[in-house]
Amino acid sequence: MGDISKDIQSTFPSNKVKALVNIKYTANWIESHQNTFFKPYGISPQQYNILRILKGAGTSLKVQEIKERMIERAPNATRLMDKLCAKLLIERLACSDDRRVVHIAITQKGLDLLNDIAKGAKNDILKNLTDKEALLLSELLDKIR
Protein backbone atom coordinates (compact mmCIF):
# COMPACT_ATOMS: atom_id res chain seq x y z
CA MET A 1 0.00 0.00 0.00
CA GLY A 2 1.15 3.51 -0.75
CA ASP A 3 1.84 6.09 1.91
CA ILE A 4 1.68 9.73 0.85
CA SER A 5 4.33 10.65 3.45
CA LYS A 6 6.78 8.21 1.87
CA ASP A 7 5.69 8.84 -1.72
CA ILE A 8 6.47 12.55 -1.57
CA GLN A 9 8.98 12.33 1.28
CA SER A 10 7.21 14.84 3.47
CA THR A 11 5.55 15.27 6.84
CA PHE A 12 2.34 17.13 7.53
CA PRO A 13 1.26 19.47 10.33
CA SER A 14 -2.11 17.67 10.66
CA ASN A 15 -4.09 14.74 9.33
CA LYS A 16 -6.42 17.15 7.49
CA VAL A 17 -3.49 18.70 5.63
CA LYS A 18 -2.19 15.20 4.87
CA ALA A 19 -5.63 14.16 3.58
CA LEU A 20 -5.92 17.22 1.34
CA VAL A 21 -2.46 16.67 -0.15
CA ASN A 22 -3.29 12.99 -0.60
CA ILE A 23 -6.52 13.83 -2.47
CA LYS A 24 -4.68 16.17 -4.83
CA TYR A 25 -1.79 13.73 -5.31
CA THR A 26 -4.19 10.84 -6.00
CA ALA A 27 -6.29 12.93 -8.41
CA ASN A 28 -3.14 13.71 -10.40
CA TRP A 29 -2.13 10.02 -10.32
CA ILE A 30 -5.57 8.96 -11.62
CA GLU A 31 -5.48 11.62 -14.34
CA SER A 32 -2.09 10.36 -15.51
CA HIS A 33 -3.40 6.79 -15.71
CA GLN A 34 -6.49 7.92 -17.62
CA ASN A 35 -4.44 9.92 -20.12
CA THR A 36 -2.33 6.83 -20.78
CA PHE A 37 -5.41 4.60 -21.10
CA PHE A 38 -7.27 6.88 -23.57
CA LYS A 39 -4.25 7.74 -25.74
CA PRO A 40 -4.57 4.67 -28.05
CA TYR A 41 -8.21 5.62 -28.67
CA GLY A 42 -7.21 9.10 -29.83
CA ILE A 43 -9.28 10.97 -27.25
CA SER A 44 -8.76 12.62 -23.88
CA PRO A 45 -10.56 11.78 -20.64
CA GLN A 46 -12.57 15.00 -21.05
CA GLN A 47 -13.65 13.99 -24.57
CA TYR A 48 -14.61 10.57 -23.23
CA ASN A 49 -16.72 12.31 -20.60
CA ILE A 50 -18.57 14.25 -23.34
CA LEU A 51 -19.24 11.04 -25.29
CA ARG A 52 -20.56 9.31 -22.15
CA ILE A 53 -22.82 12.26 -21.34
CA LEU A 54 -24.31 12.16 -24.85
CA LYS A 55 -24.75 8.40 -24.78
CA GLY A 56 -26.40 8.55 -21.36
CA ALA A 57 -28.73 11.34 -22.41
CA GLY A 58 -30.10 9.24 -25.24
CA THR A 59 -30.83 12.41 -27.20
CA SER A 60 -28.99 15.47 -28.42
CA LEU A 61 -28.08 18.12 -25.86
CA LYS A 62 -27.32 21.81 -25.95
CA VAL A 63 -23.63 22.66 -25.52
CA GLN A 64 -24.37 24.37 -22.20
CA GLU A 65 -26.11 21.25 -20.87
CA ILE A 66 -23.05 19.17 -21.72
CA LYS A 67 -20.77 21.67 -19.97
CA GLU A 68 -22.95 21.54 -16.84
CA ARG A 69 -22.82 17.73 -16.72
CA MET A 70 -19.08 17.38 -17.21
CA ILE A 71 -17.04 15.94 -14.35
CA GLU A 72 -14.26 18.42 -15.02
CA ARG A 73 -15.90 21.67 -16.03
CA ALA A 74 -13.57 22.53 -18.86
CA PRO A 75 -13.59 26.11 -20.12
CA ASN A 76 -12.43 24.64 -23.43
CA ALA A 77 -15.45 22.32 -23.81
CA THR A 78 -16.33 23.87 -27.17
CA ARG A 79 -12.82 23.13 -28.45
CA LEU A 80 -13.09 19.56 -27.13
CA MET A 81 -16.35 19.17 -29.04
CA ASP A 82 -14.76 20.65 -32.17
CA LYS A 83 -12.15 17.88 -32.05
CA LEU A 84 -14.82 15.20 -31.51
CA CYS A 85 -16.74 16.63 -34.48
CA ALA A 86 -13.63 16.51 -36.65
CA LYS A 87 -13.24 12.83 -35.74
CA LEU A 88 -16.92 12.27 -36.64
CA LEU A 89 -17.67 11.04 -33.12
CA ILE A 90 -20.33 13.70 -32.53
CA GLU A 91 -22.35 15.98 -34.76
CA ARG A 92 -23.81 19.45 -34.44
CA LEU A 93 -27.52 19.85 -35.08
CA ALA A 94 -29.12 23.21 -35.74
CA CYS A 95 -32.07 24.08 -33.52
CA SER A 96 -35.22 24.68 -35.55
CA ASP A 97 -36.58 27.13 -32.94
CA ASP A 98 -33.47 29.26 -32.44
CA ARG A 99 -30.60 29.58 -34.93
CA ARG A 100 -28.21 30.58 -32.13
CA VAL A 101 -28.70 27.27 -30.32
CA VAL A 102 -26.75 24.20 -31.37
CA HIS A 103 -27.48 20.68 -30.20
CA ILE A 104 -24.81 18.00 -30.03
CA ALA A 105 -25.49 14.32 -30.73
CA ILE A 106 -23.24 11.28 -30.55
CA THR A 107 -22.75 9.46 -33.85
CA GLN A 108 -22.68 5.72 -34.43
CA LYS A 109 -18.91 6.01 -34.73
CA GLY A 110 -18.87 7.62 -31.27
CA LEU A 111 -21.03 4.82 -29.85
CA ASP A 112 -18.75 2.23 -31.43
CA LEU A 113 -15.72 3.90 -29.85
CA LEU A 114 -17.39 3.83 -26.43
CA ASN A 115 -18.05 0.11 -26.89
CA ASP A 116 -14.39 -0.48 -27.80
CA ILE A 117 -13.27 1.49 -24.77
CA ALA A 118 -15.61 -0.49 -22.50
CA LYS A 119 -14.04 -3.74 -23.76
CA GLY A 120 -10.55 -2.46 -22.89
CA ALA A 121 -11.52 -0.81 -19.61
CA LYS A 122 -10.38 -2.26 -16.34
CA ASN A 123 -11.11 -1.02 -12.87
CA ASP A 124 -7.46 -1.44 -11.87
CA ILE A 125 -7.30 1.98 -10.23
CA LEU A 126 -9.67 0.83 -7.47
CA LYS A 127 -8.61 -2.83 -7.40
CA ASN A 128 -7.28 -2.56 -3.83
CA LEU A 129 -10.66 -1.43 -2.49
CA THR A 130 -13.54 -3.66 -1.51
CA ASP A 131 -17.01 -2.66 -2.62
CA LYS A 132 -17.74 -1.46 0.91
CA GLU A 133 -14.54 0.63 0.97
CA ALA A 134 -15.37 2.13 -2.43
CA LEU A 135 -18.80 3.17 -1.12
CA LEU A 136 -17.22 4.69 1.99
CA LEU A 137 -14.68 6.58 -0.11
CA SER A 138 -17.45 7.93 -2.32
CA GLU A 139 -19.46 9.01 0.71
CA LEU A 140 -16.44 10.73 2.27
CA LEU A 141 -15.69 12.60 -0.97
CA ASP A 142 -19.35 13.66 -1.15
CA LYS A 143 -19.09 14.88 2.45
CA ILE A 144 -16.07 17.03 1.57
CA ARG A 145 -18.02 18.75 -1.20
Side-chain angles (χ1 to χ4, degrees):
M1 250 194 244
D3 179 351
I4 187 69
S5 297
K6 291 177 183 171
D7 289 347
I8 66 170
Q9 300 174 10
S10 184
T11 58
F12 304 95
S14 71
N15 285 331
K16 287 186 177 184
V17 170
K18 182 179 181 178
L20 182 60
V21 170
N22 203 343
I23 290 168
K24 294 177 89 171
Y25 183 82
T26 303
N28 188 44
W29 179 84
I30 290 170
E31 185 177 350
S32 175
H33 278 282
Q34 286 186 326
N35 286 333
T36 301
F37 174 78
F38 287 113
K39 192 169 189 165
Y41 298 101
I43 62 171
S44 68
Q46 295 85 1
Q47 290 171 324
Y48 174 72
N49 186 213
I50 291 169
L51 292 174
R52 294 248 335 185
I53 289 166
L54 290 167
K55 179 182 179 186
T59 186
S60 63
L61 295 172
K62 294 178 187 175
V63 171
Q64 190 58 37
E65 288 177 282
I66 295 169
K67 287 180 180 181
E68 290 167 1
R69 294 184 188 191
M70 289 182 72
I71 293 170
E72 184 181 328
R73 299 224 184 345
N76 62 344
T78 302
R79 186 178 59 81
L80 294 170
M81 288 183 237
D82 288 344
K83 289 183 175 187
L84 290 170
C85 250
K87 295 174 185 179
L88 306 176
L89 299 172
I90 64 172
E91 61 184 345
R92 288 186 170 83
L93 307 169
C95 178
S96 58
D97 299 336
D98 187 343
R99 292 184 328 182
R100 298 168 295 175
V101 176
V102 176
H103 287 95
I104 306 293
I106 190 166
T107 63
Q108 186 58 52
K109 185 175 178 181
L111 291 170
D112 293 343
L113 179 62
L114 286 179
N115 288 333
D116 289 345
I117 290 170
K119 290 175 190 171
K122 298 175 188 166
N123 292 326
D124 289 348
I125 289 176
L126 301 180
K127 69 181 175 196
N128 293 329
L129 298 181
T130 65
D131 207 44
K132 187 176 178 181
E133 289 170 331
L135 176 61
L136 176 61
L137 175 61
S138 187
E139 289 170 350
L140 289 170
L141 291 171
D142 287 343
K143 188 174 181 179
I144 289 171
R145 288 190 313 281

